[in-house]
Amino acid sequence: MMKKMKRKKVYFLVSLLLASALVEAQTEDHPRIYVTDQEKEVFVQSVESVAWKKELVDKKKERLEEYIAYWENDPEWLVSRLQMNWNTKHDKVYLKGGNFSHSEGKAPVATVRYSGTRDWATDYVRPKLEDVPPYFDDSRGLFLKHKQTGKMEWVHPSKSGFAIDKINEQIMGLVADAAFFYWLTGEQKYADFAAPVFFTYMEGMYYRDAPIDLEKSEQDNISGLATFEVIHEGVVISLVTTYDFLYGYFKANKKNLDTSVAVFQKWGDQIIKKGIPDNNWNLFQARFLTYIGLVLETNQNYKNGKGQKYYLDHTFNISTDRQIAIKESLLVYDQENAMWPECASYSVHVITTFLRIFTVLDHATNANEFANYHMVERAALASFQYLFPSGYMVGFGDSHHKTLPPENFELLVANYKKYGQEDKEKLISGLLSQMIENGQYNRKGKDFFELFFYVDKLNENGTNEVLQTDTLVSPTFYAPNVSMLNQRMGTGKNAVMASVVGSFGNHAHANGISLELYANNYVLGTDMGRGPSYWHEDHRDFYSRLPAHNTVVVDGQSDYAAMRTYFPFQLDNVFPNSGERPSFDKVTFSKVSFVEPKTVSDQQRFTALIESKNQKPYIIDVFRSKKQKEGKQKHEYIYHNLGQSLELLDDKNNILNTTPTDELSSKKGDLKGYDYFTDKSKTINSGDIQAVFKLKSGENAHNIMKLWVKGSKNQTLYKVNSPKSNALSAGTAPKEVLEKPIPTLILKREEAAWENPFAVVFNPYIEGDNNPIANVTFSSLPEYPNTQIIDVLLSDTSTVDRTVLNTSESDVASKEGFYQKGLLSTLRLANNKADIEFMFLSGMEKFESHGWDIVSSGRPFSFTLERNTNGYVISNDNPITINMPLSKEGAEPQIQLYENGNLVASRKATVNRNNPGQVVFKLSKGYNKVLITY
C-alpha cells in the first residue's frame, strides 16, 4: 500500500513539473489564455456555424458598438467614466475595518479609486454607465439615487456598496471585449478604443499603494488592490484578457508594457500575501493567480524573476501563509465522500473554480490536467448528494436553493472530448441534455470562458443515454465535514426528503440541529437562507441564528458564532448506512445528538421517513432537549412551512382559536431573532393537536402539510409569521410565496423536553388525493420514561405502523407481550394488529413481539423483515439469532442465504428447546438478503 501511495506521489510531482515545463516553454506569442493564433481559423469557423457562439459574439459586438459610438463622438467618453482620483491623484488609501475611510498623497497621474465597503448591501443605486459624470472626483463623496426615496444624495463611499469597483469592472469588461474583436477582425478601431482606457487604469494602479487598515483589524490581511477582498478582484480577468488579445497591437505600436507587467506582478503579490488560505478564498485567489501567471513571460524576462513559473508555482506547488497550493487544497476535501467543508452553494462554486483553473492551465499545457487532479471530477459527481428530488440544492447555511452549475459538467464534457473519453462524454452530455429538457439549463454563452472552452455541440449520441441521477444519490448520505445528513424516499410526486444539519465548516449558521423537508414537489419545511449581506443586521440577528431554522431553542437564548462554526452534531444511528442501498426500502432514519453551548443543553433529534401503503412517505420527528443544570428551563420547537395559512385543531378536530401576544421578543428576554416574528398569537393546550399548513398555487389543489403533534401539559402553541425565506427559488416554491412571509409554528414547554420530547408526524398530501394517514396517537410507558410510542393509522383504517423509540441502544421498553432493549422498532400491523407486514429494528440488542424473538450476538443490530407470498424477506447487518413463531399450519420453514444476489446456503429450521412454539435460525454475519420460506 505504501509503495502504491509513493508511486502516486511521484506521478503527481512529475505531472506538476511537466506542466510547469510546458508552460515555461511558451514563447512571447499572444493571445494564449483562451486561444492561440494557431487555433484562430477553427475558432472563426465555429463562430460562423454554431448558433449559440454566433449569438454571443453578435451580442458582444452590438453592445460594444453602442459605446464605440459614444467614443467616436468624444474620444474621452469611456476613459472619463473610470472611477479615478482624477483631481487629487491620491496614492494612499486608508480603511477603517471593512469601510473606506479616506485617501491622500500625490501621484504623477490620476490613480484608481478604491472600493467603498466590504458590504455589498446598500441603500443606493449604482448608476448606469451613461449616467456616470465624466472625470468625477468630488470631496463630498458620490452622488447617488436612494433606492426607497428615489432622491439623489451625496453619499460617503462607505455607504455605496460595490458601486465604485463595479463601474470600473464594467468599463474594463467593454475594453476586454474590444481587445477580443481586434484580435478577431483586425479592425484598429477596437484597439484604439481599448488601449487608452487600459493604460489609464494600469498607470493609475501602478502609482497607487495597497490599502492600509487604520484599525489594524483582520481586514488588513484580506484586502485586494481594488476591492476589500482579494477574491473579488474580478477586474484582473478583464485586464489580463485585454493584455493578451492586444499584445500584438501593443508591440506593433511600441507601447511600453513595463508598467502593465509591474501591475500584474503587484496584483499577484498582493493575492499571495493577503487572503484566507483554508476555505473557498484560496481557490478564487488561485484562479486570479493562474490568469496572471499564464499571461506573463518566463521568469528570466524580468529582473525580479517574477514571471510565469513564479506565479504558477505559487498557485499549484508553493504554499504561503495566506495562499495554500492547490495540491494541498485538494486535501481539504473529505477523501472518502468528496465533500468540500462549506455549505452547498459555496461547495459547488469551489468545484466550478477548480474546473476553470484546470481548464485554462490545460489549454497551456495540453497535459490532461483533469486526470492529474481526480478529486475535482469526484466532487462534481458527489455534488448530486446535495439535491432535493426536484434537482435543486439544500439550503443549509448561506446556501440558496439552486441547480448544480451546468458549467461544471460542460467543462468535464470539454475535457472528455479533448482527450477522447467518449463514454464519459456521452454520459455527462446526457446529463446536460436532461437539464435542458427539464428547463433547468438554457445552453448559451455568457462570456469568453464558454465561447472558447465549451464544446460546440453536445454529443448527440449522449442525448438518448440520459444519466440516471438516482444512481448518484443514496437513501441516506452523511457528510461529517459539514454536519449534514440527507434522507430520501419515493419518486415523482411521492418523493420526500429530510435534510438534517448541524453547524460545521464555513458559511454555517447557528442552527442547533436543523431540518429541511421536501414533499409535494416543494421544500415545504424550508430553511431561511442568508440575509441581505453578511454584515447586515437582518443576517446577524435573524437569518444566521436559531429562530430562522427548524430547530429547538432553549430559554430563548440558544446561540453561538455563525459563519465559521465548529458545532457539528454527532451521528449516533442511521439506516441505511450512508451511501448504501439495502434491499429493504420502507424506512430510513437518523438519530443525532448535540450539546447546545450557550445554555449547555443536551439535544437529540430522531428523524424517520416511512413509506405508507399508497407509497407516499410520512416523516417522524422526535426532538429531545434538556438543560444539563437543574432548575427552571424553557424549550421551543420552531417549524417554518410554505403556505398562506396555518390552522390549529384539537384532538377532536375542533379549531383552536389563538389570541394576539407580545411574547417571543427580546423585550421578554429572548434573542433578537424573535423580534422578526410578526402576527404573533397563541393558545395553551395539553392534548394532541394538528397543525395544518395550506399552500395554494394557481388553479392547483391545496398543497397540505399536516403536523400531528404530541400533547404536553400546558403546552403553548404559537402561530407567527417569519420573514421571507432567502433560500427559496422558483424550483423549490411556487411564485405566490417566494417573497412572502413564512407561516411558522412554535411549541413551547416550560420544562425539559427529554422524557417527554417534542414528537411530530409530518403528513404531506395534496387535497383531493388519498391522504396516507387517517390518525396518529402518541403514548408512553410510565415505567420506562425514555420510551415513546407512535401509532400511525394508515388510510385503509386497518393498518397501523407502530414505532417504539428509546433514547439509546441501551434503553429498555417492556409491557405484556412486548420487550425491546434497543433504540428503534417499527412494525406494520394489519388486520387488527394481528399480522406483521414488515418489521424494522435498528440499534437493537433484543426484541420480542408477536411471537418473534430476535437477539444480538454481542453487537446492536439492524434487522428488516417483509412478508411475501411464501414467507419473509430478511436482512441484517450483524450476527443474530432469530426465534420465529411456527405457522398455524405447522409447515416447517427453511432459510436461504444470499450473497451478491447468489444463493450460497440453505437449511431447515430447528425447534427452540425453550419454546416449542418457535423455530430458530442463527445468522453468523450480516446478509443483505435472506429468504424464509414455508
Side-chain angles (χ1 to χ4, degrees):
M1 181 65 180
M2 287 299 294
K3 287 182 179 179
K4 185 175 181 182
M5 289 176 67
K6 286 180 180 177
R7 283 199 300 271
K8 284 185 176 180
K9 187 174 181 181
V10 169
Y11 170 77
F12 187 76
L13 292 175
V14 169
S15 168
L16 287 171
L17 291 171
L18 177 62
S20 184
L22 284 167
V23 174
E24 189 75 40
Q26 284 186 332
T27 69
E28 291 193 7
D29 288 343
H30 289 267
R32 63 170 69 137
I33 301 293
Y34 297 111
V35 68
T36 65
D37 284 334
Q38 292 74 29
E39 298 166 313
K40 184 173 182 178
E41 183 178 350
V42 173
F43 172 75
V44 170
Q45 290 175 355
S46 72
V47 170
E48 292 174 349
S49 61
V50 179
W52 68 264
K53 282 190 171 183
K54 188 175 188 307
E55 180 184 358
L56 173 58
V57 171
D58 289 347
K59 187 179 294 184
K60 276 183 171 289
K61 187 174 182 180
E62 182 181 354
R63 185 180 71 132
L64 185 61
E65 292 294 344
E66 178 184 344
Y67 290 99
I68 286 180
Y70 291 134
W71 166 75
E72 287 175 335
N73 288 329
D74 177 5
E76 297 183 3
W77 192 93
L78 187 63
V79 72
S80 68
R81 264 70 182 174
L82 282 171
Q83 298 299 286
M84 308 281 283
N85 297 307
W86 291 110
N87 302 323
T88 59
K89 299 181 173 60
H90 289 160
D91 62 350
K92 291 177 174 54
V93 172
Y94 294 96
L95 315 176
K96 282 189 176 180
N99 290 316
F100 175 84
S101 172
H102 67 283
S103 57
E104 61 184 36
K106 201 74 172 177
V109 299
T111 55
V112 178
R113 295 191 70 172
Y114 200 73
S115 179
T117 175
R118 190 181 177 193
D119 186 354
W120 57 78
T122 176
D123 294 329
Y124 298 91
V125 178
R126 172 161 58 95
K128 296 179 180 178
L129 201 53
E130 293 83 343
D131 296 331
V132 174
Y135 297 115
F136 184 84
D137 183 8
D138 195 298
S139 60
R140 291 173 291 181
L142 304 178
F143 197 54
L144 301 175
K145 180 189 291 186
H146 194 282
K147 290 179 179 177
Q148 298 300 322
T149 66
K151 294 181 179 179
M152 299 296 293
E153 299 177 11
W154 285 103
V155 179
H156 189 269
S158 63
K159 304 296 183 183
S160 67
F162 290 177
I164 292 169
D165 42 301
K166 289 301 178 184
I167 290 171
N168 282 343
E169 283 187 30
Q170 183 181 358
I171 291 171
M172 297 315 300
L174 291 170
V175 169
D177 285 352
F180 160 70
F181 279 106
Y182 172 76
W183 172 80
L184 183 68
T185 67
E187 291 186 50
Q188 185 161 330
K189 71 172 182 178
Y190 294 116
D192 292 344
F193 170 84
V197 187
F198 174 80
F199 285 117
T200 299
Y201 187 96
M202 295 300 266
E203 288 181 4
M205 189 59 80
Y206 177 82
Y207 284 104
R208 214 213 62 214
D209 295 342
I212 296 171
D213 178 18
L214 296 170
E215 296 181 348
K216 301 299 180 186
S217 68
E218 179 59 19
Q219 180 62 51
D220 213 33
N221 293 318
I222 63 175
S223 300
L225 291 185
T227 70
F228 279 77
E229 298 179 359
V230 288
I231 60 169
H232 287 161
E233 304 279 80
V235 73
V236 167
I237 305 297
S238 294
L239 295 170
V240 167
T241 301
T242 302
Y243 183 91
D244 201 32
F245 279 124
L246 286 185
Y247 188 84
Y249 170 86
F250 292 155
K251 284 295 185 181
N253 287 274
K254 296 182 170 50
K255 297 288 186 180
N256 187 335
L257 298 179
D258 292 346
T259 297
S260 298
V261 167
V263 170
F264 287 137
Q265 293 173 337
K266 182 179 180 180
W267 229 310
D269 292 344
Q270 183 78 359
I271 290 170
I272 292 169
K273 186 169 60 174
K274 305 292 184 178
I276 299 174
D278 52 359
N279 62 11
N280 59 74
W281 281 56
N282 198 57
L283 289 314
F284 303 150
Q285 292 172 237
R287 180 171 165 238
F288 296 141
L289 283 178
T290 303
Y291 273 84
I292 290 170
L294 287 175
V295 83
L296 294 175
E297 312 308 327
T298 62
N299 292 355
Q300 291 75 18
N301 276 42
Y302 311 115
K303 289 181 180 180
N304 61 10
K306 294 182 177 181
Q308 198 172 86
K309 189 175 187 302
Y310 177 86
Y311 290 107
L312 291 181
D313 274 347
H314 278 81
T315 304
F316 295 95
N317 304 324
I318 300 172
S319 293
T320 58
D321 289 345
R322 292 192 168 270
Q323 182 58 39
I324 303 300
I326 279 180
K327 68 179 182 181
E328 290 187 43
S329 294
L330 287 168
L331 299 177
V332 173
Y333 276 103
D334 185 306
Q335 300 299 298
E336 292 186 14
N337 62 29
M339 285 284 115
W340 183 260
E342 299 190 81
C343 71
S345 293
Y346 280 80
S347 175
V348 298
H349 193 17
V350 164
I351 296 168
T352 307
T353 304
F354 267 126
L355 290 169
R356 282 185 165 229
I357 289 170
F358 295 139
T359 295
V360 294
L361 178 67
D362 190 74
H363 182 254
T365 67
N366 294 306
N368 196 357
E369 301 295 348
F370 284 34
N372 298 330
Y373 302 92
H374 291 290
M375 179 56 75
V376 180
E377 180 183 19
R378 283 186 60 203
L381 297 178
S383 61
F384 282 90
Q385 295 284 9
Y386 288 128
L387 297 183
F388 290 116
S390 59
Y392 289 78
M393 288 190 294
V394 291
F396 72 93
D398 289 330
S399 291
H400 179 76
H401 297 156
K402 60 182 181 181
T403 61
L404 295 174
E407 179 176 1
N408 292 1
F409 307 108
E410 288 277 10
L411 295 179
L412 287 177
V413 165
N415 176 265
Y416 297 151
K417 184 176 183 65
K418 181 176 180 179
Y419 292 103
Q421 300 182 69
E422 190 173 357
D423 289 343
K424 286 186 175 182
E425 182 194 348
K426 288 180 180 178
L427 196 65
I428 305 301
S429 291
L431 165 66
L432 287 167
S433 298
Q434 183 178 348
M435 294 179 76
I436 293 169
E437 186 176 336
N438 292 341
Q440 295 176 335
Y441 178 37
N442 181 13
R443 191 168 194 261
K444 62 180 182 179
K446 296 179 182 177
D447 212 335
F448 293 123
F449 219 88
E450 296 90 340
L451 190 61
F452 288 106
F453 293 131
Y454 282 16
V455 296
D456 291 351
K457 191 176 183 181
L458 294 175
N459 193 317
E460 290 185 354
N461 294 325
T463 57
N464 295 321
E465 192 175 334
V466 173
L467 180 65
Q468 296 300 312
T469 54
D470 59 353
T471 65
L472 296 174
V473 297
S474 48
T476 65
F477 180 78
Y478 175 47
N481 60 347
V482 287
S483 195
M484 175 191 77
L485 191 141
N486 293 337
Q487 299 170 229
R488 299 175 176 86
M489 182 175 288
T491 59
K493 67 178 184 179
N494 293 325
V496 167
M497 177 171 155
S499 181
V500 178
V501 298
S503 304
F504 200 44
N506 201 31
H507 286 279
H509 288 180
N511 52 238
I513 310 171
S514 186
L515 173 70
E516 270 196 299
L517 286 180
Y518 174 96
N520 296 347
N521 300 315
Y522 292 122
V523 183
L524 294 180
T526 182
D527 199 274
M528 303 299 284
R530 68 185 189 189
S533 77
Y534 301 133
W535 303 273
H536 198 284
E537 61 181 6
D538 290 355
H539 178 80
R540 183 179 63 249
D541 294 337
F542 179 73
Y543 284 98
S544 66
R545 322 317 298 184
L546 272 83
H549 300 84
N550 298 325
T551 189
V552 168
V553 177
V554 183
D555 290 346
Q557 290 298 312
S558 294
D559 197 22
Y560 46 89
M563 186 57 78
R564 183 167 294 204
T565 295
Y566 301 94
F567 292 98
F569 58 62
Q570 175 181 306
L571 178 59
D572 301 323
N573 301 84
V574 65
F575 180 88
N577 289 327
S578 177
E580 293 184 359
R581 299 175 184 279
S583 56
F584 180 80
D585 60 0
K586 299 293 189 297
V587 177
T588 75
F589 88 93
S590 65
K591 180 175 81 71
V592 302
S593 57
F594 174 72
V595 176
E596 197 288 295
K598 179 70 176 294
T599 61
V600 195
S601 299
D602 294 324
Q603 295 191 324
Q604 182 189 101
R605 190 163 208 161
F606 168 88
T607 310
L609 276 55
I610 301 176
E611 184 182 271
S612 69
K613 297 200 76 170
N614 70 357
Q615 297 187 319
K616 184 78 168 181
Y618 62 89
I619 305 100
I620 295 178
D621 185 41
V622 178
F623 202 125
R624 301 178 193 264
S625 184
K626 65 177 180 180
K627 293 176 70 171
Q628 291 184 6
K629 296 179 180 179
E630 297 292 332
K632 184 180 179 181
Q633 52 187 302
K634 177 179 70 170
H635 301 261
E636 287 161 330
Y637 178 101
I638 301 175
Y639 176 69
H640 312 79
N641 195 95
L642 301 187
Q644 292 95 351
S645 66
L646 166 58
E647 189 174 65
L648 302 181
L649 307 172
D650 65 15
D651 55 3
K652 306 296 185 192
N653 281 331
N654 298 313
I655 294 176
L656 286 169
N657 294 317
T658 59
T659 57
T661 179
D662 62 353
E663 296 173 11
L664 306 174
S665 76
S666 59
K667 292 180 180 179
K668 300 289 185 178
D670 296 320
L671 294 163
K672 286 184 179 179
Y674 281 70
D675 296 338
Y676 287 78
F677 297 141
T678 59
D679 306 309
K680 297 179 292 186
S681 63
K682 74 170 188 175
T683 187
I684 297 175
N685 190 282
S686 298
D688 296 348
I689 64 110
Q690 299 168 44
V692 182
F693 293 89
K694 290 187 177 181
L695 170 64
K696 181 67 173 173
S697 177
E699 298 302 316
N700 297 322
H702 278 102
N703 191 324
I704 295 176
M705 175 67 88
K706 177 185 285 189
L707 277 61
W708 302 82
V709 180
K710 179 187 177 184
S712 182
K713 185 177 180 180
N714 294 325
Q715 182 166 249
T716 306
L717 317 172
Y718 296 95
K719 292 169 53 177
V720 305
N721 278 327
S722 295
K724 70 173 183 176
S725 167
N726 292 325
L728 295 174
S729 70
T732 57
K735 61 183 179 180
E736 287 88 346
V737 296
L738 279 178
E739 298 294 321
K740 301 296 184 182
I742 304 295
T744 302
L745 172 71
I746 301 177
L747 312 173
K748 183 175 77 174
R749 306 271 184 85
E750 297 281 1
E751 59 185 3
W754 191 268
E755 293 179 354
N756 181 27
F758 297 105
V760 177
V761 173
F762 290 93
N763 172 196
Y765 65 97
I766 302 297
E767 191 173 54
D769 287 357
N770 184 17
N771 180 355
I773 294 178
N775 194 33
V776 176
T777 56
F778 301 91
S779 59
S780 57
L781 300 173
E783 302 84 356
Y784 303 96
N786 283 334
T787 302
Q788 297 297 306
I789 301 172
I790 302 173
D791 288 324
V792 177
L793 178 65
L794 300 183
S795 56
D796 63 3
T797 67
S798 64
T799 302
V800 172
D801 290 351
R802 166 160 288 187
T803 294
V804 180
L805 176 66
N806 288 323
T807 60
S808 73
E809 297 172 342
S810 301
D811 282 329
V812 171
S814 180
K815 64 178 184 176
E816 184 178 353
F818 176 87
Y819 179 86
Q820 175 175 318
K821 186 176 189 298
L823 177 68
L824 171 67
S825 66
T826 298
L827 275 63
R828 176 159 291 169
L829 306 167
N831 303 319
N832 297 318
K833 304 184 181 180
D835 298 328
I836 296 178
E837 290 192 13
F838 77 69
M839 179 190 302
F840 173 77
L841 314 175
S842 194
M844 195 64 63
E845 294 187 15
K846 181 176 173 60
F847 181 80
E848 297 178 33
S849 185
H850 291 74
W852 292 78
D853 181 1
I854 301 134
V855 187
S856 78
S857 295
R859 289 179 304 212
F861 62 86
S862 290
F863 172 85
T864 70
L865 173 148
E866 285 186 89
R867 178 186 291 278
N868 65 12
T869 54
N870 300 318
Y872 301 97
V873 181
I874 286 172
S875 71
N876 65 297
D877 65 349
N878 277 319
I880 55 173
T881 298
I882 302 172
N883 300 288
M884 65 174 286
L886 283 168
S887 67
K888 293 179 181 179
E889 292 79 14
E892 188 174 2
Q894 184 180 41
I895 194 167
Q896 298 175 337
L897 309 177
Y898 288 80
E899 292 182 359
N900 299 319
N902 299 315
L903 179 65
V904 295
S906 62
R907 58 178 179 268
K908 292 183 179 180
T910 58
V911 176
N912 184 343
R913 65 185 179 86
N914 297 315
N915 183 348
Q918 289 180 327
V919 292
V920 181
F921 292 111
K922 289 185 178 291
L923 300 180
S924 61
K925 62 179 184 178
Y927 289 92
N928 192 45
K929 180 182 177 183
V930 173
L931 296 181
I932 295 178
T933 57
Y934 291 97

